Amino acid sequence: DTAEVLLGHGSGGKLTADLIEKLFLPAFRNPYLDKRDDQAVLEVNGARLAFTTDSFVVTPLFFPGGDIGKLAVNGTVNDLAMSGARPLYLSAAFILEEGLPLSDLQGIIRSMQEACETAGVLLVTGDTKVVHRGSADQVFINTSGIGIIEHRLVISADRVQVGDQIILSGTIADHGMAVMSKRAGLEFETEIISDTAPLNALVQTMLEGSPAIHCLRDPTRGGVATTLHEIARRSQVGMVLNEQRIPIREEVKGACELLGIDPLYVANEGKLIAIVSRAEAAKVLERMRSHQSGREAQIIGEVVADHPRMVVMQTEIGGMRIVDLMMGEQLPRIC
């Protein structure tokens, strides 16, 4: 235990879980919060609404494939989409540091505008605060979002069943390594580009093809490993992954090896994990591959009764490895 906040408390790993379980949940406990999904699903006058909020502190502000503004819109849209909702409206609050070039702010705003248009959402309210030079790092953004759920499916981390198949929509670690390479001033033969993108259209394509989707998550902070751990704990199941089936670009794999980073724990900003019934897995996979955002989708593992609350992986050399939660932070301020 520690008496002060550490950078690792923002990792999405063990320290983050401790912060939530020991401080936030006891103070605000209610049935919506207890589900610990990336959004709350609320019933209002017969309508099912999804509601979410997120904050963005990425550094640098601009990176290959995007910037903090594009990230903020897509991240909030995707958290809504993971409940099966159709995202509708966003808010945005900006904390600006004195001295931030207005040209940078203009670029961020323009990027957010384009991202909203691409995702089909409206930014309908917001707020701006300015702090003294040195009291923040250029700009932080908080976004909240509301979407409508137009079906009766319940998609949640506590709905996973033994035998379900684990599908990943594409290559891992693109976003985290794009930011990290820019931050560290590394240049590779092939530039690493962030995968930040809205996933709501992909989710709608999947839902139109099958009602047997039990859980959807976008593996952002903490990566695929942390996300699967959270799901396994919520549903009290085990998971077995196949390392050979996990797609990763060669340049990303090389960058991870160079920096000593495990790509399973690296943030993604345009990928999703779908956990679906075995009987419907092939159909869902086919639907995903028919959409631009899911062309490289793969079934990467399955849900098992053995070792509940644990994730293990069959390695490329045939052994088994426990995929544990990380204690600290591999890549701070990645989103």
Side-chain angles (χ1 to χ4, degrees):
D1 286 351
T2 176
E4 58 187 29
V5 173
L6 305 174
L7 203 55
H9 280 114
S11 67
K14 287 179 179 176
L15 287 176
T16 303
D18 284 349
L19 202 65
I20 292 169
E21 290 168 10
K22 293 177 181 178
L23 288 180
F24 293 112
L25 275 179
F28 303 109
R29 176 157 270 128
N30 63 68
Y32 303 105
L33 196 59
D34 284 346
K35 289 184 76 70
R36 298 189 221 181
D37 287 325
D38 287 338
Q39 70 300 115
V41 174
L42 314 169
E43 296 230 6
V44 181
N45 293 334
R48 294 177 73 213
L49 302 177
F51 176 51
T52 192
T53 190
D54 210 343
S55 297
F56 297 85
V57 297
V58 66
T59 181
L61 298 178
F62 301 89
F63 46 83
D67 56 52
I68 191 172
K70 184 177 182 181
L71 202 61
V73 170
N74 289 341
T76 303
V77 164
N78 292 345
D79 281 349
L80 293 171
M82 294 308 109
S83 67
R86 179 164 60 89
L88 296 174
Y89 305 111
L90 303 185
S91 71
F94 298 81
I95 298 174
L96 309 175
E97 182 190 13
E98 180 186 22
L100 173 72
L102 283 175
S103 58
D104 284 356
L105 182 57
Q106 188 172 34
I108 291 165
I109 292 169
R110 187 182 306 115
S111 181
M112 293 180 77
Q113 176 191 10
E114 292 170 356
C116 284
E117 290 172 357
T118 300
V121 296
L122 295 176
L123 200 159
V124 296
T125 189
D127 183 52
T128 304
K129 296 290 190 295
V130 178
V131 298
H132 290 102
R133 195 183 302 263
S135 296
D137 189 356
Q138 297 184 280
V139 57
F140 300 150
I141 302 176
N142 172 271
T143 43
S144 295
I146 294 176
I148 188 164
I149 301 175
E150 298 168 306
H151 52 77
R152 299 313 300 174
L153 298 180
V154 178
I155 298 171
S156 178
D158 60 7
R159 309 285 288 185
V160 173
Q161 301 171 18
V162 171
D164 284 353
Q165 302 294 287
I166 304 167
I167 307 177
L168 178 63
S169 66
T171 55
I172 64 169
D174 296 336
H175 172 73
M177 297 318 297
V179 173
M180 193 62 190
S181 59
K182 176 76 172 179
R183 190 185 296 172
L186 301 175
E187 292 187 9
F188 300 97
E189 190 171 323
T190 304
E191 187 178 34
I192 299 174
I193 306 293
S194 169
D195 61 349
T196 178
L199 296 170
N200 49 322
L202 173 61
V203 170
Q204 290 304 312
T205 297
M206 294 163 64
L207 290 172
E208 287 164 7
S210 173
I213 298 170
H214 297 153
C215 178
L216 292 169
R217 279 288 179 92
D218 55 334
T220 54
R221 183 179 52 173
V224 168
T226 302
T227 299
L228 290 178
H229 251 285
E230 291 172 356
I231 298 168
R233 290 175 67 188
R234 289 294 295 144
S235 285
Q236 300 289 311
V237 294
M239 295 182 179
V240 178
L241 308 180
N242 185 324
E243 186 174 25
Q244 287 186 311
R245 293 185 184 175
I246 299 173
I248 181 170
R249 301 188 197 286
E250 281 302 316
E251 60 269 25
V252 172
K253 187 176 182 180
C256 287
E257 289 173 353
L258 180 67
L259 295 169
I261 291 171
D262 188 335
L264 276 179
Y265 296 89
V266 175
N268 311 273
E269 290 291 345
K271 302 299 188 308
L272 65 78
I273 292 169
I275 303 185
V276 306
S277 72
R278 183 191 299 275
E280 293 286 301
K283 185 190 295 185
V284 173
L285 183 65
E286 184 180 358
R287 295 286 296 186
M288 292 174 73
R289 287 177 172 172
S290 72
H291 192 279
Q292 183 176 356
S293 296
R295 284 184 182 155
E296 296 173 288
Q298 293 280 355
I299 297 175
I300 64 166
E302 67 177 322
V303 179
V304 297
D306 296 338
H307 50 79
R309 297 165 60 95
M310 283 181 59
V311 181
V312 302
M313 183 166 68
Q314 184 177 355
T315 66
E316 290 180 335
I317 59 172
M320 297 297 284
R321 162 194 161 195
I322 294 175
V323 181
D324 206 355
L325 269 181
M326 293 197 77
M327 177 60 74
E329 177 70 278
Q330 278 198 123
L331 299 171
R333 295 186 57 188
I334 212 73
C335 58

